[in-house]
Amino acid sequence: MANQKHRILMVSDFFYPNFGGVENHIYYLSQCLLKFGHKVVVMTHAYGNRSGVRYMTGGLKVYYVPWRPFIMQNTLPTFYGTLPIIRTILIREKISLVHGHQAFSTLCHEALMHARTMGYRVVFTDHSLYGFADVGSIHMNKVLQFTLADVSQAICVSHTSKENTVLRSGLPPQKVFVVPNAVDTAMFKPAPERPGSNEIIIVVISRLVYRKGADLLVEVIPEVCRCYPNVRFIVGGDGPKRVRLEEMREKHSLQDRVEMLGAVPHAQFLNRSILHSHIRGC
């Protein structure tokens, strides 16, 4: 089994050219699997004019299925409307394993359901934490219980995420494994020299949405600034919660201690000299 080569279908509504943690995870995981000799195919919905079959680095084949996003980059739930195209891809690419990503992805849930119906092995990776009380989470948890009822294995990115997923989906804990998020140490290294001042700068790079903890930042930043006068924040990213952060900054008069960078292109984010210039300018 260790030497067996698989033909893997990665499925999610979230993939390039959209940008985020799930998109990066799928791409880099696919590249690693390709290097091990496995065949990897990605299935996602169309993004603007990007529709049809595209090829990426390493021969990664991507199906941009011609469906348009319905809300928050998710396709309209149809349950059985996606069966013909999913079945076609599974048979054409001779898939042996289907790997769905992100509980919020409609396409992921439908692909897992149809793949299990056709007898394929399926794996699900949950990337986020979700609640239990609000209307959206209640409906999402019911869908999760339905689509993961016969899943082969599930993966979570932390032990807290595993506990959350097990409670929401009703999966046996022994079926859920933890593979923590990793950091590419070639790109992210501690500074060779500690800054001369006693100032502590906290950098936050994230989509400013509820499930990324943006609401926690609104509550935490004023308290940290009150207790520690030598702390400053640099917040990079955009999203619906940016307004709340800016309101918090105005309310507590923290304009000189909380810098909002807005959306930061990935290439600029990886350029450490640019980030250092912001830190020096604080």
Side-chain angles (χ1 to χ4, degrees):
M1 289 296 291
N3 297 323
Q4 181 181 353
K5 301 303 180 184
H6 290 283
R7 302 178 70 88
I8 304 164
L9 178 64
M10 301 279 186
V11 187
S12 182
D13 280 300
F14 310 105
F15 194 64
Y16 297 155
N18 193 48
F19 200 82
V22 177
E23 292 85 346
N24 278 343
H25 177 90
I26 295 173
Y27 175 77
Y28 286 114
L29 175 60
S30 299
Q31 293 298 326
C32 290
L33 290 170
L34 287 169
K35 289 180 181 179
F36 280 110
H38 302 288
K39 169 71 175 179
V40 184
V41 178
V42 177
M43 177 182 173
T44 187
H45 64 72
Y47 282 89
N49 294 327
R50 183 171 296 196
S51 180
V53 179
R54 302 289 182 97
Y55 286 88
M56 303 183 74
T57 305
L60 177 62
K61 189 174 184 178
V62 184
Y63 283 88
Y64 289 96
V65 181
W67 295 318
R68 301 301 173 188
F70 170 62
I71 183 173
M72 296 178 65
Q73 293 300 339
N74 278 282
T75 51
L76 180 69
T78 61
F79 288 99
Y80 296 102
T82 54
L83 176 58
I85 186 66
I86 292 174
R87 179 180 181 275
T88 299
I89 294 173
L90 289 172
I91 295 174
R92 176 187 292 177
E93 301 295 337
K94 299 178 181 178
I95 298 299
S96 60
L97 176 69
V98 178
H99 190 169
H101 293 264
Q102 188 60 305
F104 198 67
S105 171
T106 301
L107 192 57
C108 164
H109 287 293
E110 296 188 7
L112 293 181
M113 180 180 67
H114 297 319
R116 284 305 298 146
T117 302
M118 296 175 64
Y120 288 89
R121 288 182 175 271
V122 299
V123 177
F124 170 73
T125 296
D126 202 352
H127 294 261
S128 301
L129 300 174
Y130 291 90
F132 299 89
D134 58 286
V135 175
S137 296
I138 291 171
H139 287 290
M140 180 56 64
N141 294 343
K142 291 296 183 183
V143 172
L144 200 67
Q145 292 174 11
F146 178 72
T147 55
L148 299 189
D150 198 24
V151 72
S152 304
Q153 306 286 347
I155 300 171
C156 293
V157 297
S158 69
H159 290 282
T160 302
S161 176
K162 173 180 177 178
E163 182 179 356
N164 183 261
T165 300
V166 167
L167 291 173
R168 288 163 46 228
S169 65
L171 280 173
Q174 59 269 25
K175 267 193 171 186
V176 184
F177 296 86
V178 175
V179 181
N181 286 325
V183 175
D184 189 343
T185 56
M187 294 183 177
F188 302 97
K189 299 178 181 178
E193 296 181 5
R194 187 178 179 86
S197 67
N198 292 323
E199 195 173 56
I200 297 174
I201 298 176
I202 300 174
V203 180
V204 180
I205 304 289
S206 173
R207 276 196 297 246
L208 301 180
V209 295
Y210 170 78
R211 63 187 181 85
K212 292 289 187 179
D215 293 272
L216 293 176
L217 280 178
V218 174
E219 303 296 330
V220 167
I221 288 177
E223 188 66 18
V224 171
C225 291
R226 183 183 66 81
C227 295
Y228 303 97
N230 62 328
V231 171
R232 296 177 184 269
F233 287 83
I234 297 177
V235 181
D238 206 349
K241 297 297 182 179
R242 180 177 177 177
V243 175
R244 287 203 63 196
L245 283 165
E246 291 177 342
E247 289 175 347
M248 173 273 297
R249 190 171 65 162
E250 295 289 334
K251 178 180 177 181
H252 296 278
S253 301
L254 296 174
Q255 291 88 342
D256 60 333
R257 300 183 62 184
V258 180
E259 182 179 0
M260 303 290 294
L261 300 182
V264 181
H266 192 245
Q268 181 177 345
F269 168 60
L270 292 179
N271 187 341
R272 291 189 289 273
S273 63
I274 295 176
L275 184 58
H276 291 165
S277 68
H278 284 284
I279 292 175
R280 287 194 299 268
C282 286

